[in-house]
Amino acid sequence: MTPENDAAARYFSAITAALSGLEVFMRDDRSPLYRHGIVARIVAEYIARLDKSFACWRNRLGFMDTFRISRAESGYPVFQNLLELENDRQQADARLANIPQAGELREEMADFILRHKEFPEALQKSMAERLYLEDVKSEATFGPFTLAQTAKVSVNPKTMRPYYLVHWATFDGSANLPLVYMVTVEDSSESMVRQLVDVNGKLNEKVDIPLPVDGLLNPELAHRFDDFTEKNSAYTLSPATIAVNLDKDFEPLHPKQLRRVVLGPFYSAGITENNSTVAEVLAKVRKPQNAWLLTWTIQEVFSKSEKPGRKGLFSSEKTTQEFFINTDDLEAARQGVSSYENHALIPHEAYQALYAAGEAQKIFSGYKVHILSNGQVISDV
């Protein structure tokens, strides 16, 4: 194995441990997201997709020479890796047809070792490629963009409108960061109100909604909504800007809350260079699989009021939302959000190293710290 591949193998071990720990955190009843059970489940689904992508890339390392990550910034793979993963998925069946079955390869490898008394590198690469392509055929990886799904449907008894919890995800190619979006949106379309709201202002039980539903539940707006989310999910856009654009572009849709979960940056000893202080301390951690730090940010913007629309003979105005931006908090104002939370997940051994070096307080200022220890997450340290 080349030094580059050896470093990549250590990186994969660290990121896999980090994502597994984050999944444990999402299931923990002490998690701040746990009280919003569906939110934690949605984020956990995308974490599982990320984990699957890394498993595929790890297999890919068995037959490819290099794997590039954003060492100085996000600590995640560069965007090109996601594009290649998507391209390989489309070509997987054709390529698999030209590679022997796994059983045949194992027999050939055993025969080669017996006859030549050396390791069959070429056959090993073929096996790695087969495993990679079989994995990548799955739709469960984290792609450049994941289309929206409607995860929940209910009715607002005050407005008598149905509302949906819709989520989607993107991997921002400029920031090299996975982003998960969730929006709660009311729908005043006459057809949807008629179908979904009963005379008592509750969800019509006679309508069967097999959740989750691919796309926005409103079929008349679903394609436009997909186009909108694909064009309005960049990391450079603030949550407030995205919410305002959604409110403006869809007359019958009324966004009440938009969340963005930024899964990163990720820090790994000897691999990433995105924080020199963190890198120096993590390098002293005895076990490489514990020498990492994963951060994430939860951003939220919500509507504080609704300005009624006006229809006139010569002009009209649509109903619009007034989103709350917390201007008392300079960072919230800068991010364009009502509120935000910074979180950090770190193995116990790495946290001890940072604490012993006197760096923990400075590094984790403004963060809610969660320590992974023996498969459990300890928060509020």
Side-chain angles (χ1 to χ4, degrees):
M1 182 177 282
T2 65
E4 291 82 4
N5 277 12
D6 183 50
R10 285 188 285 113
Y11 170 78
F12 281 120
S13 294
I15 191 72
T16 299
L19 292 175
S20 297
L22 186 54
E23 198 169 358
V24 168
F25 173 76
M26 290 298 164
R27 292 197 306 266
D28 196 310
D29 58 7
R30 291 166 296 181
S31 162
L33 285 181
Y34 189 83
R35 64 183 181 273
H36 307 290
I38 194 168
V39 174
R41 287 200 301 274
I42 288 168
V43 176
E45 287 173 19
Y46 289 110
I47 293 168
R49 283 175 170 267
L50 265 177
D51 200 33
K52 187 69 171 176
S53 291
F54 278 101
C56 291
W57 284 322
R58 195 168 198 163
N59 280 334
R60 194 172 186 267
L61 198 63
F63 63 95
M64 298 296 288
D65 292 332
T66 58
F67 183 82
R68 290 182 58 220
I69 66 169
S70 176
R71 297 180 64 179
E73 295 170 352
S74 72
Y76 274 89
V78 298
F79 189 60
Q80 182 66 25
N81 290 299
L82 279 91
L83 297 178
E84 289 172 356
L85 203 64
E86 195 66 28
N87 185 58
D88 289 344
R89 173 184 290 116
Q90 295 171 13
Q91 298 178 3
D93 285 328
R95 286 170 59 182
L96 280 167
N98 296 316
I99 302 174
Q101 294 293 325
E104 293 176 45
L105 286 170
R106 290 191 188 95
E107 288 180 9
E108 287 185 44
M109 289 169 71
D111 184 61
F112 185 95
I113 292 170
L114 288 172
R115 286 190 295 110
H116 299 279
K117 309 300 182 187
E118 59 184 65
F119 190 76
E121 290 187 11
L123 290 170
Q124 176 65 25
K125 286 188 175 184
S126 293
M127 177 66 85
E129 186 172 4
R130 167 161 282 281
L131 292 173
Y132 165 75
L133 291 170
E134 287 174 349
D135 266 358
V136 89
K137 282 175 64 177
S138 164
E139 293 296 322
T141 54
F142 197 107
F145 182 79
T146 304
L147 289 168
Q149 275 193 341
T150 300
K152 181 182 178 182
V153 183
S154 194
V155 173
N156 183 338
K158 293 181 180 178
T159 62
M160 299 289 281
R161 300 170 183 158
Y163 69 84
Y164 323 128
L165 174 61
V166 187
H167 62 90
W168 68 95
T170 187
F171 192 96
D172 188 274
S174 299
N176 284 309
L177 282 169
L179 310 174
V180 177
Y181 287 92
M182 282 166 267
V183 65
T184 302
V185 58
E186 291 185 8
D187 188 347
S188 59
S189 306
E190 287 184 16
S191 60
M192 299 306 290
V193 172
R194 189 167 57 249
Q195 287 182 63
L196 298 176
V197 185
D198 67 17
V199 292
N200 299 312
K202 296 183 178 180
L203 190 64
N204 187 351
E205 294 181 354
K206 296 179 181 178
V207 179
D208 181 32
I209 306 172
L211 296 171
V213 174
D214 287 340
L216 185 75
L217 188 64
N218 187 327
E220 294 178 3
L221 302 177
H223 288 301
R224 274 184 58 207
F225 188 84
D226 283 344
D227 289 341
F228 173 87
T229 53
E230 195 158 6
K231 293 172 183 173
N232 287 268
S233 296
Y235 183 55
T236 52
L237 295 176
S238 72
T241 299
I242 298 169
V244 167
N245 289 348
L246 178 59
D247 189 39
K248 181 179 66 177
D249 288 5
F250 294 86
E251 185 168 351
L253 297 183
H254 314 280
K256 297 299 181 179
Q257 181 191 54
L258 184 139
R259 276 194 187 94
R260 176 165 70 187
V261 182
V262 184
L263 293 170
F266 174 69
Y267 308 87
S268 178
I271 310 293
T272 59
E273 302 164 352
N274 33 16
N275 185 307
S276 58
T277 303
V278 173
E280 286 174 14
V281 178
L282 288 182
K284 298 173 184 175
V285 175
R286 187 169 53 86
K287 295 180 179 179
Q289 65 268 33
N290 290 334
W292 55 265
L293 164 65
L294 176 63
T295 63
W296 70 96
T297 301
I298 303 171
Q299 300 171 309
E300 179 186 334
V301 63
F302 62 83
S303 172
K304 62 179 178 179
S305 62
E306 184 173 283
K307 182 181 177 184
R310 178 180 60 82
K311 290 189 177 181
L313 190 61
F314 300 105
S315 66
S316 62
E317 294 178 1
K318 75 178 290 289
T319 300
T320 55
Q321 306 301 309
E322 293 185 31
F323 295 102
F324 171 65
I325 303 299
N326 186 2
T327 53
D328 291 336
D329 185 323
L330 292 178
E331 183 58 21
R334 185 191 70 79
Q335 293 184 28
V337 295
S338 309
S339 64
Y340 69 95
E341 292 179 357
N342 293 323
H343 293 264
L345 178 69
I346 185 169
H348 185 253
E349 185 184 352
Y351 182 79
Q352 279 187 318
L354 289 169
Y355 188 83
E359 300 290 351
Q361 187 172 358
K362 181 174 68 176
I363 288 170
F364 295 122
S365 175
Y367 282 81
K368 295 185 177 182
V369 182
H370 315 282
I371 296 175
L372 183 64
S373 179
N374 297 321
Q376 301 294 318
V377 175
I378 304 164
S379 298
D380 303 320
V381 293

